[in-house]
Amino acid sequence: MDKEFQPDAIIIGSGLAGLTAAMEITNTGKKVLLIDQETEQNIGGQAFWSFGGLFLINSPQQRRVGIKDSYELARQDWMGTAGFDREEDYWPKQWAEAYLKFAANEKYNYISKMGIKLMFMVGWAERGDGSASGHGNSVPRFHVSWGTGTGVVKPFVEKAYEAKTKGLLQMKFRHRVTNLIMENGKITGIEGNVLENDNKERGEPTSRTVVSQFRYNAPHIVIASGGIGANHELVRKNWPERLGKAPEKMICGVPAYVDGKMIGIAENAGADIINRDRMWHYTEGIQNWSPIWPDHGIRILPGPSSLWFDAKGNRLPAPFLPGFDTLGTLKYIQDTGFSYSWFILTQKIIKKEFALSGSEQNPDITNKDYVLFLKRIFGKKAPGPVEAFKENGKDFIVSDNLQDLVQRMNELSGDYLLDYDKIKLQIDARDRELDNQFSKDTQVNYIRSTRKYIGDKLGRVAAPHKILDSDNGPLIAVRLNILTRKTLGGIKTNLNGQVLKNDGTVLEGLYAAGEVAGFGGGGMHGYRALEGTFLGGCLFSGMKAGQYIGGLK
């Protein structure tokens, strides 16, 4: 750092939360030093790799397609989903209330002023547990950025480089923080190791060879370093009994640098870490046939029509249907004693309903290619990346007949738990339910109901059809793995982003934003999330901390 550059704040982490905080602080003319252990190629962090989903309430996009949303309905959904029930949930609940008001009011204008554009169709994620007051979204609220995660990150990266040009911001990459400096009960600086240069591509693991040390001081230190998703040892250590036994095998939905180490460093400095056992991992993970980071997994964003079977060949009951109740389904699967499950579907379903999470898996939206996007909606095949997984993915099996499909499913798992007659009996029973316009099958009824929403009918939910009718084939089986992703607990903060100690008092000089703070307060989602709220949580918590620091005299 230049000797004449005296930062008003140091931000640890160049992801979305850190970039937002940096923008808000430098907007006031104050100076920021931005620190990250990774290379400059990785600026933007995890958000770059995301699908770009943003949770909004009563947005123009919703109103345009006839969705009647409101703050009251969204709050009902959020609180029913979060299930706040602990003494330490005081600040997380305050953050949830504040975020809901943000999402219902200024959030749309905030992102619009940044140049973030949203797609016209609103997605319906986490459709819930089947009760009005329980978990899930009552209406579609998942707004995908035109440009996916790259489109969300891009304007904030540009703002950082603009501030750098103005002399208001300096960046120090390959700087790994190992300690927070405390003087007279206040955090006054950071120290750590400078790592050797590394020219790896974005997302690839980088060298951890230390070449020197550093020490920097500033009156305000913001931790925005992300969660624990790539640290499977820490995931298992924090795994809650309520979700069953921790999986022996998991695949990874985040790059290796998402190691959670700053949480422990903050705790050593006196920060209160709460809700460690709250986490958000997916059940629809598939191994990436072209991996970028270790154990690289991709999540299928499924429509509701695939038939879901556990490892023993039992069809999952409602509400454990594709896209409904992530953690409820996770517990169900873990209780079977096996950490994998199966989708069985048709070509008609995969074409209409399979989307893959990640900017790199959606080149049409990421690259803002209208022609390619129209092919996604009206083409005869699934999107190119989905077809590539179908052809090359280790977890995909394609066959013209069910008996061969089940045999190959058994060969792939190596457990030989699936019985062809049992599988066929269950699919036949489901298919008979399509002979009438009424049914007792919850999944069939839901498919029919959801197609009343134009967004689902046009681009998300296949017309009901019989799985075993050869006209709808070929048949496809997909082995689904547990995929690590988000940390819902973390560093406790007040609504200014100030870190709190165990006794509830402020740890002077220290702030936290983004996933490291449970997206606000140490866990504003509670036990579960409504989706589209992770990027928004990074934006909101980074904004709050940045505006508070920027407004201090």
Side-chain angles (χ1 to χ4, degrees):
M1 185 170 64
D2 297 340
K3 291 182 179 180
E4 65 272 15
F5 186 85
Q6 296 298 322
D8 297 287
I10 297 173
I11 298 175
I12 306 166
S14 65
L16 184 57
L19 291 169
T20 306
M23 181 188 74
E24 294 290 351
I25 296 169
T26 56
N27 278 349
T28 68
K30 292 185 176 181
K31 295 180 179 180
V32 169
L33 174 62
L34 188 63
I35 294 281
D36 200 295
Q37 69 177 350
E38 289 307 309
T39 61
E40 193 167 359
Q41 291 97 310
N42 285 280
I43 191 169
Q46 287 177 253
F48 176 92
W49 298 103
S50 74
F51 194 36
L54 292 165
F55 176 96
L56 291 161
I57 301 167
N58 192 28
S59 69
Q61 286 77 10
Q62 287 176 302
R63 296 194 296 270
R64 207 169 288 141
V65 292
I67 298 169
K68 296 180 180 179
D69 200 6
S70 67
Y71 166 80
E72 292 77 16
L73 181 60
R75 187 184 185 280
Q76 171 183 302
D77 290 345
W78 190 292
M79 296 305 170
T81 293
F84 294 121
D85 61 359
R86 299 173 177 175
E87 184 178 347
E88 57 264 37
D89 281 335
Y90 174 79
W91 283 111
K93 189 174 180 180
Q94 298 302 307
W95 273 91
E97 296 277 12
Y99 180 70
L100 284 164
K101 292 175 183 175
F102 177 66
N105 295 292
E106 66 264 37
K107 183 178 180 181
Y108 184 81
N109 288 334
Y110 189 87
I111 63 174
S112 296
K113 287 178 181 177
M114 294 299 299
I116 297 171
K117 298 185 183 301
L118 304 175
M119 297 184 65
F120 67 93
M121 286 194 304
V122 184
W124 198 345
E126 281 299 292
R127 302 182 185 218
D129 65 3
S131 64
S133 60
H135 168 59
N137 285 295
S138 296
V139 298
R141 297 191 179 103
F142 191 82
H143 298 70
V144 177
S145 163
W146 186 233
T148 63
T150 65
V152 174
V153 168
K154 185 174 182 287
F156 293 92
V157 173
E158 291 174 347
K159 289 290 185 181
Y161 283 105
E162 287 176 15
K164 181 181 177 182
T165 301
K166 294 175 182 177
L168 295 174
L169 183 143
Q170 287 195 7
M171 303 178 186
K172 293 289 182 183
F173 296 98
R174 306 301 286 155
H175 281 56
R176 181 178 61 192
V177 175
T178 59
N179 186 48
L180 297 170
I181 301 167
M182 178 177 285
E183 297 177 358
N184 300 319
K186 180 178 180 179
I187 302 300
T188 60
I190 59 173
E191 57 187 9
N193 301 320
V194 179
L195 306 177
E196 71 176 354
N197 291 330
D198 198 322
N199 61 0
K200 297 275 196 340
E201 293 295 322
R202 180 190 286 270
E204 294 182 9
T206 55
S207 169
R208 289 296 180 260
T209 300
V210 176
V211 295
S212 63
Q213 281 72 44
F214 67 86
R215 180 184 175 111
Y216 300 124
N217 293 91
H220 308 287
I221 310 297
V222 183
I223 302 174
S225 55
I228 68 172
N231 189 337
H232 286 188
E233 180 181 351
L234 201 53
V235 169
R236 291 189 180 93
K237 180 180 178 181
N238 293 329
W239 191 274
E241 290 184 7
R242 67 178 178 277
L243 293 181
K245 183 181 178 182
E248 294 182 8
K249 181 182 183 300
M250 297 180 283
I251 56 178
C252 198
V254 294
Y257 57 73
V258 187
D259 55 25
K261 289 182 178 178
M262 279 306 305
I263 296 175
I265 293 169
E267 185 174 25
N268 290 338
D272 191 9
I273 313 301
I274 60 175
N275 299 318
R276 299 175 198 262
D277 62 323
R278 292 178 180 170
M279 50 187 72
W280 190 255
H281 305 306
Y282 292 111
T283 52
E284 312 97 332
I286 51 176
Q287 300 170 85
N288 194 341
W289 63 274
S290 181
I292 298 171
W293 54 77
D295 298 317
H296 189 173
I298 299 292
R299 185 205 174 194
I300 296 171
L301 301 171
S305 301
S306 297
L307 296 190
W308 205 336
F309 294 88
D310 65 26
K312 299 175 184 178
N314 301 302
R315 187 179 171 197
L316 270 61
F320 310 132
L321 306 174
F324 276 66
D325 184 352
T326 293
L327 293 193
T329 307
L330 176 59
K331 182 183 187 309
Y332 180 93
I333 291 170
Q334 288 305 107
D335 285 347
T336 68
F338 297 87
S339 295
Y340 68 92
S341 58
W342 298 96
F343 275 169
I344 293 180
L345 59 148
T346 64
Q347 179 63 28
K348 283 187 177 180
I349 292 174
I350 200 172
K351 169 195 159 328
K352 191 89 166 185
E353 299 193 5
F354 267 38
L356 301 174
S357 181
S359 55
E360 82 284 11
Q361 300 297 332
N362 296 275
D364 53 343
I365 306 174
T366 298
N367 299 325
K368 303 179 181 180
D369 188 326
Y370 289 95
V371 174
L372 199 57
F373 177 72
L374 289 174
K375 286 184 179 180
R376 175 194 288 250
I377 303 297
F378 300 109
K380 295 181 179 180
K381 291 186 176 182
V386 175
E387 289 289 345
F389 264 92
K390 192 181 81 173
E391 181 177 347
N392 302 304
K394 181 180 179 180
D395 295 311
F396 283 73
I397 301 168
V398 182
S399 179
D400 288 327
N401 72 84
L402 183 63
Q403 189 160 14
D404 175 66
L405 189 80
V406 173
Q407 179 180 334
R408 290 166 62 189
M409 290 164 71
N410 277 324
E411 291 170 356
L412 179 59
S413 72
D415 294 322
Y416 292 90
L417 299 172
L418 302 177
D419 179 78
Y420 162 72
D421 291 328
K422 180 180 177 180
I423 297 288
K424 186 175 187 301
L425 184 69
Q426 294 174 89
I427 299 178
D428 279 336
R430 179 267 185 197
D431 281 357
R432 289 190 193 99
E433 295 290 308
L434 295 179
D435 289 335
N436 296 285
Q437 289 302 308
F438 40 85
S439 169
K440 68 178 181 180
D441 188 283
T442 300
Q443 188 174 14
V444 168
N445 286 334
Y446 188 83
I447 292 166
R448 288 170 170 164
S449 173
T450 195
R451 281 174 56 85
K452 295 176 183 178
Y453 166 49
I454 189 171
D456 276 349
K457 184 174 183 179
L458 182 62
R460 198 70 181 110
V461 181
H465 60 272
K466 294 189 175 185
I467 301 294
L468 296 183
D469 186 333
S470 59
D471 290 341
N472 300 319
L475 292 169
I476 301 163
V478 186
R479 180 177 60 180
L480 306 172
N481 307 273
I482 306 302
L483 177 77
T484 61
R485 186 64 69 82
K486 297 297 182 186
T487 310
L488 297 189
I491 301 172
K492 183 166 67 175
T493 64
N494 63 19
L495 285 175
N496 298 323
Q498 293 172 289
V499 172
L500 302 176
K501 296 184 285 189
N502 290 335
D503 62 4
T505 61
V506 170
L507 181 53
E508 293 291 340
L510 190 61
Y511 305 77
E515 191 173 350
V516 74
F519 302 94
M524 74 168 185
H525 295 94
Y527 287 94
R528 299 177 183 85
L530 289 175
E531 291 288 15
T533 56
F534 301 126
L535 292 181
C538 289
L539 283 173
F540 185 59
S541 59
M543 181 192 79
K544 294 288 282 185
Q547 288 179 348
Y548 179 76
I549 295 169
L552 292 173
K553 294 182 179 179

